[in-house]
Amino acid sequence: MTERAVLLWIHGGGWRGRYHEDGAALAPLGLRVVAATYRFVDEARWPAQLDDVRAAARAARMAADGLPLLVGGDSAGGMLALHLALRGVDRPGDVAAALAYWAPLDPLDPEYRRLRADDDPWAGLLGRPPAAGDPATVDATVATHLGSGVPVLLVHGREDRSVPAGQSVDLARRLLVAGHPVHAWLTHGGHALDLARPDIRAVTAAFLDTVLTPG
């Protein structure tokens, strides 16, 4: 298939390691997949991770040969992809779309707090437990940064015990209210699903067809 866009893929791993998913399963959909990485929480706190993926996005854009730049990721990488797309590489709206798979979105979500009471990756990212009114917590919350109109794909497993699927449902509603085109797919399974699974591949392909020029 002819390349339709460059996808900067941001890996998951709780911001403290590197999960093996590399986004390669999406390449047959017409994407040139480029890997990004970022400093882990034992090296730097938020927003250093956003700074790192912005730098990776600038490099990917320079090498894109005029193709649109998409950003995507799984889990913690999906959260970073959303920040990058919604806030922009250099300005809001300079990313064509975001693809986020089972991403943690809200550090104060009560269901998340209950599930991860003994192991909260957000505390490592922020350097302290997240709290209402805390500037770093507010800044790291994805829904703080809506309004640029960037299209978003959200995919989540209903049985996810690491990140509650309700986070993606709530963000989809907020994105729609803020004027973002949204595709949301809530499906069977838990965390870290196979990107090549037929339903996930199909919804990703349908989303790409809405945001990319054919051929």
Side-chain angles (χ1 to χ4, degrees), residues 154-175:
L154 298 171
V155 176
H156 220 123
R158 294 190 303 270
E159 291 82 42
D160 195 330
R161 302 296 294 173
S162 295
V163 180
Q167 292 204 11
S168 287
V169 174
D170 182 64
L171 183 64
R173 178 186 62 81
R174 292 172 180 264
L175 285 163

Side-chain angles (χ1 to χ4, degrees), residues 122-151:
W122 286 101
L125 180 68
L126 302 175
R128 55 189 179 273
D134 169 60
T137 302
V138 173
D139 187 61
T141 301
V142 171
T144 302
H145 307 286
L146 309 185
S148 64
V150 172

Side-chain angles (χ1 to χ4, degrees), residues 59-96:
R61 187 172 58 190
M62 288 182 63
D65 302 320
L67 293 170
L69 177 65
L70 311 176
V71 294
D74 63 314
S75 196
M79 172 269 201
L80 290 171
L82 286 165
H83 272 281
L84 184 56
L86 296 172
R87 303 171 75 160
V89 180
D90 295 307
R91 62 186 184 281
D94 62 1
V95 172

